[in-house]
Amino acid sequence: MLRWFNIILPVELNDVVEVVKTHNRWRGSECINLIASENVMSPLAKAVYMSDMMHRYAEGRPGRRYYQGVKYVDVIEEVVSKLFSELLKVKHVEPRAVSGTIANATVFRVLGGPQDRALIAPVQAGAHVSHTKFGTLGALGIEHVEMPFNSELWNIDVDKAVKMIRDLKPKFVTLGASVYLFPHPTKEIADVAHEVNAYVVHDVAHVLGLIVGRKWPNPIHEGADIATSSTHKTFPGPQGGVIFTNNDELYKAVSKVIFPWFVSNHHLHRLPATAITAAEMKYFGESYAEQVVRNAKAFAEALSSEGFKLLAENLGFTKSHMLVVDVSELGGGSKVAQELESANIIVNKNLLPWDRPEAVKDPSGIRLGTQEMTRYGAVESDFKEVARFMRELLIERRDHAEIRRKVVEFRKSFTEVKYTFKVGVDVLESVLGKT
Ligand code: DSN
């Protein structure tokens, strides 16, 4: 039973507190976290995330709100837009999307409507569910058509996609994916899309931090009309979304559509945490992105040497934070992901380009990302050790408990968030209102 001062908490509260503490200890200090879409915030970003702004409403835009009491929220929202605009070298930023999916919904609704058609990357090659007729696109009544994919080049087949765009004349083309090993051909697709008056939207959720850190091309500078993103993958901020563009008309349309159609309040406490993360990325983004990508390559090479079947070996495995392993001969993605979890190595199962779409619950692959452990300071040699743990567990079939013990020991060296400013406890406590 948990005691605070002289109060014994009722059992329900005690249970909740205990479960959260256990979760925090487990994922925060005992696991090797390799989910490619997650990351951790710095202590300062976490402290400002806990602000009173989490209780407030601010529908509308800075200076033109429907609620009083948000003059400081307005300041922060403008700082977020200004910092993103500076980091991404773009004219317009819309920070009110509460997630990447809401960012996509807003942009898709601006660019199309019922009965319209959009081209996307194939689902099995990583298109996000929101890009598809099974997700947000379908909710808007927009049909999707998958562009042909070249599995040898691990990318959209440019020649066939160009022909498809000319033949189908879609309203828009969506690039970007949740399995994103190599940059999609933005320029080639944008050139032909613009010929047929189609827009190009590029979902950079997975690679936003790499773009800020100059390890991945910025699609707006390569001809995409507008980009959408989440703010918590390789960009290590709070969960949220953002939209950016150089196109004045699209920006105006997006700003009108996002509120009131897709958000009312936009979860204000994420704004200061996003601003702190953006400022950290301004100073540390290049070194962080460089290490993330080096680690991904080293991890892929190490896994391959340990006997795993990596995708895109002929292309050097990856240019992003992500790598994909074909585990069909080890029992499939579902079984392998569960086995890894039992040893405190956290990954997700994933479809591979040759899987049937119905295989989504038990696909052939697993997807791994280096961005979170890099944030904790891991370098190439550390990922070689992780590859060894995976071999011992999945190929040598050693006991889960033995590997879990090694993982917990390994994780003791990775407890502090790096690539950030060191801020004293006094500062953090003053932000939290304790002093
Ligand atoms: N984009 C998904 C992922 O990659 O895990 C999350 O929405």
Side-chain angles (χ1 to χ4, degrees), residues 37 128 178 206 233 367:
S37 49
H128 187 243
S178 294
H206 268 277
K233 297 181 169 72
R367 183 188 68 164

Side-chain angles (χ1 to χ4, degrees), residues 15 28 30 37 46 63-64 76 117-118 138 150 159 161 169 179 205 218 220 239 281 311 313 348 350 396:
D15 288 352
E30 295 176 349
S37 49
K46 270 162 84 173
R64 279 179 283 151
I76 299 290
R117 199 154 43 188
N150 183 331
D159 292 341
K169 299 186 178 46
V179 175
N218 184 331
I220 298 298
Q239 294 202 340
M281 288 296 278
L311 267 57
E313 179 162 8
N348 70 282
N350 222 98
E396 294 176 16

Side-chain angles (χ1 to χ4, degrees), residues 14 31 53 56 94 100 114 187 205 222 237 264 286 318 342 351:
N14 188 46
C31 284
M53 291 183 192
R56 306 302 163 198
E94 173 51 76
K187 182 174 181 331
E222 301 213 314
S264 61
E286 285 191 37
T318 183
S342 69
L351 285 171

Side-chain angles (χ1 to χ4, degrees), residues 130-260:
S130 64
H131 301 176
T132 74
K133 61 185 173 196
F134 313 115
T136 309
L137 208 67
L140 298 169
I142 304 171
E143 197 50 37
H144 84 233
V145 180
E146 293 185 348
M147 286 180 279
F149 194 77
N150 183 331
S151 296
E152 285 297 302
L153 296 177
W154 247 96
N155 217 321
I156 289 161
D157 187 317
V158 176
D159 292 341
K160 290 183 183 161
V162 161
K163 183 170 179 325
M164 187 180 251
I165 293 167
R166 288 202 174 113
D167 287 348
L168 298 183
K169 299 186 178 46
K171 277 278 178 180
F172 60 96
V173 180
T174 303
L175 299 174
S178 294
V179 175
Y180 209 7
L181 304 178
F182 303 99
H184 282 168
T186 309
K187 182 174 181 331
E188 293 84 342
I189 297 289
D191 285 348
V192 67
H194 293 156
E195 266 177 34
V196 300
N197 294 321
Y199 285 103
V200 174
V201 47
H202 201 130
D203 180 341
V204 295
H206 268 277
V207 291
L208 184 67
L210 304 184
I211 293 171
V212 168
R214 297 176 203 285
K215 293 304 288 181
W216 194 271
N218 184 331
I220 298 298
H221 303 158
E222 301 213 314
D225 300 289
I226 192 158
T228 59
S229 188
S230 52
T231 53
H232 50 265
K233 297 181 169 72
T234 52
F235 184 90
Q239 294 202 340
V242 66
I243 300 165
F244 53 98
T245 181
N246 279 337
N247 183 312
D248 300 340
E249 295 308 313
L250 283 181
Y251 173 64
K252 269 192 221 147
V254 157
S255 295
K256 278 196 181 141
V257 161
I258 192 160
F259 171 80

Side-chain angles (χ1 to χ4, degrees), residues 32-33 37 51 62 74 84 98 134 190 213-214 222 240 296 403-404:
I32 297 174
N33 294 319
S37 49
S51 80
D74 285 6
F84 270 130
V98 294
F134 313 115
R214 297 176 203 285
E222 301 213 314
I403 309 302
R404 190 168 56 240

Side-chain angles (χ1 to χ4, degrees), residues 38-154:
E38 297 178 350
N39 214 320
V40 282
M41 288 193 278
S42 68
L44 185 59
K46 270 162 84 173
V48 298
Y49 190 72
M50 295 296 289
S51 80
D52 176 78
M53 291 183 192
M54 75 173 68
H55 306 119
R56 306 302 163 198
Y57 262 87
E59 288 172 354
R61 313 190 55 183
R64 279 179 283 151
R65 303 292 196 190
Y66 290 85
Y67 292 82
Q68 295 309 123
V70 289
K71 58 187 174 187
Y72 301 113
V73 174
D74 285 6
V75 172
I76 299 290
E77 192 164 320
E78 281 178 340
V79 168
V80 171
S81 296
K82 192 165 164 294
L83 277 168
F84 270 130
S85 179
E86 184 187 332
L87 290 173
L88 295 162
K89 300 198 173 13
V90 291
K91 210 165 153 192
H92 303 295
V93 174
E94 173 51 76
R96 285 177 292 169
V98 294
S99 71
T101 291
I102 291 297
N104 281 338
T106 304
V107 171
F108 296 163
R109 185 61 190 84
V110 164
L111 301 181
Q115 268 93 57
D116 282 337
R117 199 154 43 188
L119 300 194
I120 64 167
V123 172
Q124 290 98 311
H128 187 243
V129 66
S130 64
H131 301 176
T132 74
K133 61 185 173 196
F134 313 115
T136 309
L137 208 67
L140 298 169
I142 304 171
E143 197 50 37
H144 84 233
V145 180
E146 293 185 348
M147 286 180 279
F149 194 77
N150 183 331
S151 296
E152 285 297 302
L153 296 177
W154 247 96

